[in-house]
Amino acid sequence: MSTNGHKWNPMGYDDHAHYVYKLGEPLIALLSPTESENILDLGCGHGELTLRLMEFECNVTGIDSSAEMVQAANENGVSAVVMKAQELTFNNEFDGIISNAAIHWMTDIDKVLEGCFRSLKPGGRFVGEFGGEGNVGRIVNATAKYFENHPELGEFSVPWYFPSVEDFADDLEDAGFYIEYMELIDRPTPLPTGIKGWIITFFHGLMSGFTEEQKESFINEVSEMLKPELYNKDTGWHADYVRLRFKALK
Ligand code: BEZ
């Protein structure tokens, strides 16, 4: 799932972060799609959630900024197109918009929400779940500390949008939405490939200018820093996820 032009490897994302799809199921209940409705999946990735929505016999369109993801979605039988979330071209077309684990990647949230509002029919539902305030806070803090100890890497700035309930509610209302439900949910999440797999997947962009040696040092040192907080010898690694889940109406 990507909406900022970041290059994704759909297979790599699947190995390291497959849980994001499974955890998207409550959103479907929140949307409660019905037959023949037009639904937009915003940041559809390779279309696993989109496929689940198609089981309700609604017409689902996926968009994602990653050509690799859209190709994978199309190969999975999903109708998806490459489009940036901040440049939606739809007008009064959808009964519902759903977005799972994508909004935190989006760079111009005002434009995204404006476009979502425009894309919905009057009364249309917008449901979503993404990283909220404090999401992966321990990982962010360890990374900031690593950068402080390695000034040659420059300054670290958090590459995601993890708003508070208040800030996101303001943003939705500014775009014209009525908020029906919004909640921050603490969700410690097991990491199937450990913290190193997570770092390689989610800090891919951050590490893109690093040498191989710098990458190795970053991955190893940040993992060591996090071990006392995020590793348990019986249950393995988990990430300190905090989700913001919402439902808003046009
Ligand atoms: C998340 O799904 O919570 C997430 C995604 C990218 C970076 C950090 C967290």
Side-chain angles (χ1 to χ4, degrees):
M1 326 212 140
S2 162
T3 46
N4 64 357
H6 177 96
K7 287 241 181 236
W8 279 108
N9 167 357
M11 293 320 290
Y13 190 76
D14 216 17
D15 289 345
H16 298 294
H18 189 262
Y19 50 83
V20 299
Y21 299 112
K22 293 213 171 83
L23 298 176
E25 290 280 324
L27 274 189
I28 296 183
L30 202 55
L31 179 67
S32 82
T34 55
E35 197 179 327
S36 332
E37 281 195 316
N38 295 332
I39 305 293
L40 176 67
D41 185 349
L42 187 77
C44 65
H46 63 21
E48 191 156 332
L49 193 66
T50 332
L51 279 172
R52 273 285 292 123
L53 284 164
M54 286 160 66
E55 290 172 22
F56 295 81
E57 300 195 13
C58 38
N59 311 309
V60 195
T61 305
I63 66 116
D64 202 289
S65 68
S66 156
E68 292 87 350
M69 283 293 189
V70 167
Q71 188 182 343
N74 291 153
E75 283 164 8
N76 282 338
V78 165
S79 166
V81 291
V82 179
M83 193 184 289
K84 291 185 180 160
Q86 64 270 33
E87 292 172 9
L88 296 179
T89 56
F90 311 108
N91 274 297
N92 292 307
E93 286 169 49
F94 293 99
D95 300 287
I97 300 179
I98 189 165
S99 183
N100 186 41
I103 292 176
H104 44 233
W105 292 107
M106 298 178 186
T107 47
D108 189 342
I109 197 64
D110 292 341
K111 281 229 170 74
V112 172
L113 299 181
E114 246 175 68
C116 288
F117 191 81
R118 193 179 351 96
S119 301
L120 282 169
K121 298 175 186 171
R125 298 101 71 199
F126 180 22
V127 304
E129 186 172 311
F130 63 104
E133 186 176 31
N135 192 34
V136 293
R138 291 189 162 110
I139 300 176
V140 165
N141 288 343
T143 302
K145 193 168 242 171
Y146 182 87
F147 270 70
E148 264 170 47
N149 295 339
H150 293 82
E152 72 281 7
L153 296 176
E155 234 172 78
F156 170 63
S157 71
V158 179
W160 308 292
Y161 168 67
F162 295 149
S164 64
V165 162
E166 292 74 18
D167 286 349
F168 192 59
D170 282 350
D171 290 344
L172 278 170
E173 283 172 351
D174 287 349
F177 283 102
Y178 166 79
I179 296 157
E180 195 172 278
Y181 156 83
M182 192 178 292
E183 187 180 12
L184 267 190
I185 303 166
D186 262 329
R187 186 189 296 139
T189 301
L191 299 178
T193 57
I195 194 69
K196 289 189 179 175
W198 192 95
I199 291 173
I200 290 164
T201 305
F202 291 100
F203 278 138
H204 179 80
L206 184 84
M207 294 191 297
S208 60
F210 290 10
T211 63
E212 285 309 308
E213 212 174 299
Q214 285 170 331
K215 278 184 198 168
E216 200 179 315
S217 153
F218 174 69
I219 294 168
N220 289 336
E221 281 191 40
V222 172
S223 303
E224 275 311 303
M225 283 192 250
L226 288 169
K227 200 164 180 182
E229 299 179 280
L230 299 181
Y231 180 77
N232 174 296
K233 70 177 171 35
D234 299 320
T235 53
W237 284 94
H238 75 273
D240 50 338
Y241 276 35
V242 179
R243 307 322 264 171
L244 192 157
R245 190 184 291 164
F246 68 94
K247 178 175 183 181
L249 303 177
K250 174 167 175 178

